[in-house]
Amino acid sequence: MNTLPSALHSNLMALSPLILLAGSAVVVMLASAFYRHPRPVMMLTLAGLILSFASLFLFRGIGSRQVTALLVLDHYALFFIGLIVAATFVVAVLCYRYFGGSESRHEALYILLLLAALGGGVLVASSHFASFLLGLELLSISLFALIAYPRFTERPLEAGIKYLILAGFSSGLLLFGMALVYAQLGTMQFAKIGTMLTAPDQALELYGLAGLALIVTGVGFKLALVPFHMWTPDVYEGAPAPITAFIATVSKGAMLALLLRYFLMAGAHQSQPITLALSLVAVTTILVGNLLALLQDNIKRILAYSSIAQLGYLLVGFLAFDPLAIEAVAYFLTAYFVTMLGAFGVVTVLSGGFNNGSEGESHRVAERDSDRLADYAGLFWHRPWLAGVFTAMLLSLAGIPLTMGFIGKFYILTAGVEASLWIPVIVLVVGSTIGLFYYLRIIAVMCAPSSQAITEPTMRPVASPSLGESVTLAALALLLIWLGVFPAQLIDVLEGITVVDLT
């Protein structure tokens, strides 16, 4: 009788980050209903995210917790929940001025951000197909609305419709795949699937393998892996700049963390056909992402194809399937979050954004975001601070030393070499060399002397970044360099992360 309250207390402590995210969404919704003003709503959102992040440290000493059959709260899940919460905090700061500041009515945006972060948190803690689908749909439905939030503007609405079609199709594939796996094994728990498949007389039959392949295909759409990547540049270009940062980081990071847990707990990595298919996907994703980025003159589309290539790099570490692979993926994903948030943060600051008037209609402050390469001509001479931050982010994406991106790629290469993944490793090196060209191309445009202003006549003059934006970008740039020069602090945290021991 005395163990039940203790177990309940431990479960609540373990769930506190997710509970606080859900509670913050409710509080923000009530505050928006009674007091329509974006500033206090944003402050409540940031306070809720800070509390959720702080609650991660309450879990120390409790150990790994299996909360029902649906969720497992361990150091692996908490690390990625912390990453998601921190990224959501950055996006919330970037959204305020972009969507009109105190002169607009965009309170609902923060509710959607909190719900999307909650969906991502559920995803990374999932140990069951039911919670997998619940977290995925909570994240996806929130993203539909976030992408098309300026609903009276053509390009965001078009991007939202494209993402809606994509998500519906990929969810159908995932559900069908889950049904086929359940039909053979009779369970939807990752750990039980792994236990059953390791039995001497048990192996996936044809329709079980087909189910696993469908799950991988559905996840491939969410991660924008080749050949399921065609939606990415269009959605990135059409979505509001800070929301694009959210898609590139939280959406992809949560799904990749879930996929790694599923493969290790369910023993899916022991299937040679699936491993070979993933190797082929990794190679083509790296090459296609980098080669198509060479042809772009739009910053958002360049970053979109770059993110596709970056996910290909992550798959190389993913395919190693050992403790070092988990560390490599976690470090590289952290570096990816920092660089993408910083890069899209600069695009957000330079863009005009939207202003939702009192009648609910979205007015575009500028006809488009500052996403054309020509918009960045001579940026070093006009806005050296923003150009310096953007340069640091691009060099990290290219894997230049003294940045987190270099350490992340080194980790991935080490994991790939130890697992004898020679072809993916060689393609990774080739892809990184190709990527260096279009990253340096952007830097060269920013450094080139230009008498032309950053903005064209159709764009409004670029306002100075707010204090919150300046502090956020400075923190991201400092983190990028600090953990690139002194990576041991993050590596020490990652050494305690494991998935295999949780089953």
Side-chain angles (χ1 to χ4, degrees):
M1 295 295 292
N2 293 331
T3 60
L4 182 59
S6 176
L8 180 61
H9 177 265
S10 297
N11 287 341
L12 289 175
M13 290 283 286
L15 288 171
S16 57
L18 300 179
I19 293 173
L20 285 169
L21 280 176
S24 298
V26 174
V27 170
V28 169
M29 180 178 63
L30 293 174
S32 302
F34 287 101
Y35 185 63
R36 294 297 303 275
H37 197 280
R39 183 179 291 274
V41 170
M42 182 197 69
M43 298 305 292
L44 283 173
T45 301
L46 298 181
L49 291 169
I50 291 172
L51 287 174
S52 178
F53 189 84
S55 68
L56 297 171
F57 299 96
L58 297 176
F59 189 72
R60 291 183 176 180
I62 297 178
S64 302
R65 302 289 302 181
Q66 180 75 48
V67 184
T68 71
L70 301 180
L71 300 173
V72 55
L73 275 300
D74 50 30
H75 296 294
Y76 178 89
L78 294 182
F79 175 81
F80 286 106
I81 290 174
L83 207 55
I84 288 169
V85 170
T88 307
F89 184 95
V90 172
V91 172
V93 172
L94 295 175
C95 282
Y96 182 72
R97 190 175 68 92
Y98 182 89
F99 283 97
S102 59
E103 299 177 358
S104 70
R105 295 290 179 266
H106 62 279
E107 297 88 350
L109 179 83
Y110 300 106
I111 305 172
L112 293 169
L113 278 177
L114 288 168
L115 291 175
L118 177 62
V122 172
L123 263 182
V124 301
S126 294
S127 60
H128 194 282
F129 281 149
S131 54
F132 175 9
L133 191 63
L134 177 65
L136 178 63
E137 292 307 303
L138 184 57
L139 175 61
S140 299
I141 292 172
S142 301
L143 282 177
F144 303 155
L146 286 170
I147 294 169
Y149 194 78
R151 62 189 183 281
F152 296 101
T153 309
E154 181 180 349
R155 292 173 72 182
L157 191 60
E158 178 186 346
I161 293 173
K162 287 180 179 179
Y163 191 83
L164 174 64
I165 296 171
L166 152 83
F169 183 69
S170 60
S171 294
L173 292 176
L174 284 169
L175 281 169
F176 192 23
M178 292 174 186
L180 290 175
V181 173
Y182 179 73
Q184 178 183 344
L185 302 178
T187 182
M188 292 191 288
Q189 287 184 252
F190 298 167
K192 286 188 176 179
I193 292 174
T195 302
M196 295 176 69
L197 291 180
T198 54
D201 58 340
Q202 182 72 56
L204 281 176
E205 298 175 3
L206 180 60
Y207 60 91
L209 285 172
L212 191 57
L214 285 173
I215 292 173
V216 173
T217 302
V219 171
F221 274 103
K222 299 294 184 183
L223 293 176
L225 302 173
V226 175
F228 318 111
H229 66 289
M230 295 305 295
W231 63 273
T232 309
D234 292 339
V235 172
Y236 276 39
E237 184 181 2
I243 305 306
T244 307
F246 192 85
I247 300 169
T249 54
V250 172
S251 176
K252 291 189 176 183
M255 181 56 70
L256 188 74
L258 180 277
L259 186 65
L260 182 58
R261 181 189 291 280
Y262 170 73
F263 264 66
L264 291 177
M265 292 182 70
H269 61 286
Q270 298 176 5
S271 171
Q272 189 175 6
I274 296 295
T275 303
L276 289 175
L278 281 179
S279 299
L280 180 61
V281 167
V283 168
T284 54
T285 298
I286 293 171
L287 293 177
V288 171
N290 282 302
L291 290 174
L292 291 181
L294 292 173
L295 307 176
Q296 308 303 315
D297 289 319
N298 184 288
I299 294 293
K300 279 187 172 181
R301 295 182 76 89
I302 291 174
L303 291 176
Y305 284 115
S306 172
S307 71
I308 292 171
Q310 298 291 324
L311 265 293
Y313 302 152
L314 274 166
L315 276 186
V316 176
F318 182 96
L319 286 166
F321 295 119
D322 58 22
L324 180 61
I326 299 172
E327 291 182 29
V329 169
Y331 193 100
F332 192 96
L333 201 57
T334 304
Y336 172 79
F337 268 55
V338 173
T339 51
M340 279 297 176
L341 289 171
F344 281 110
V346 173
V347 175
T348 300
V349 170
L350 293 175
S351 300
F354 297 86
N355 190 340
N356 294 340
S358 58
E359 299 179 358
E361 193 167 335
S362 296
H363 303 286
R364 194 68 163 100
V365 177
E367 292 183 4
R368 58 178 175 81
D369 286 336
S370 295
D371 56 359
R372 293 178 186 168
L373 197 59
D375 296 331
Y376 293 78
L379 185 62
F380 263 112
W381 311 108
H382 298 280
R383 294 295 172 87
W385 158 241
L386 291 176
V389 172
F390 200 23
T391 298
M393 301 303 161
L394 293 173
L395 292 178
S396 179
L397 287 171
I400 300 300
L402 304 183
T403 64
M404 287 186 71
F406 171 75
I407 304 297
K409 281 191 178 179
F410 181 80
Y411 241 130
I412 293 291
L413 281 170
T414 303
V417 169
E418 288 195 0
S420 298
L421 301 171
W422 301 114
I423 294 179
V425 164
I426 292 171
V427 173
L428 188 154
V429 174
V430 173
S432 298
T433 305
I434 297 172
L436 189 61
F437 176 82
Y438 57 82
Y439 294 131
L440 292 179
R441 179 187 174 202
I442 299 174
I443 297 172
V445 169
M446 291 193 293
C447 294
S450 174
S451 58
Q452 184 181 9
I454 302 171
T455 55
E456 298 174 3
T458 55
M459 303 288 287
R460 71 174 180 86
V462 179
S464 299
S466 66
L467 177 62
E469 290 171 335
S470 298
V471 172
T472 300
L473 290 177
L476 289 171
L478 181 62
L479 190 64
L480 184 80
I481 303 300
W482 180 264
L483 291 179
V485 178
F486 304 104
Q489 296 177 350
L490 181 57
I491 291 173
D492 290 341
V493 175
L494 298 178
E495 286 177 350
I497 293 178
T498 180
V499 172
V500 180
D501 295 336
L502 304 175
T503 59

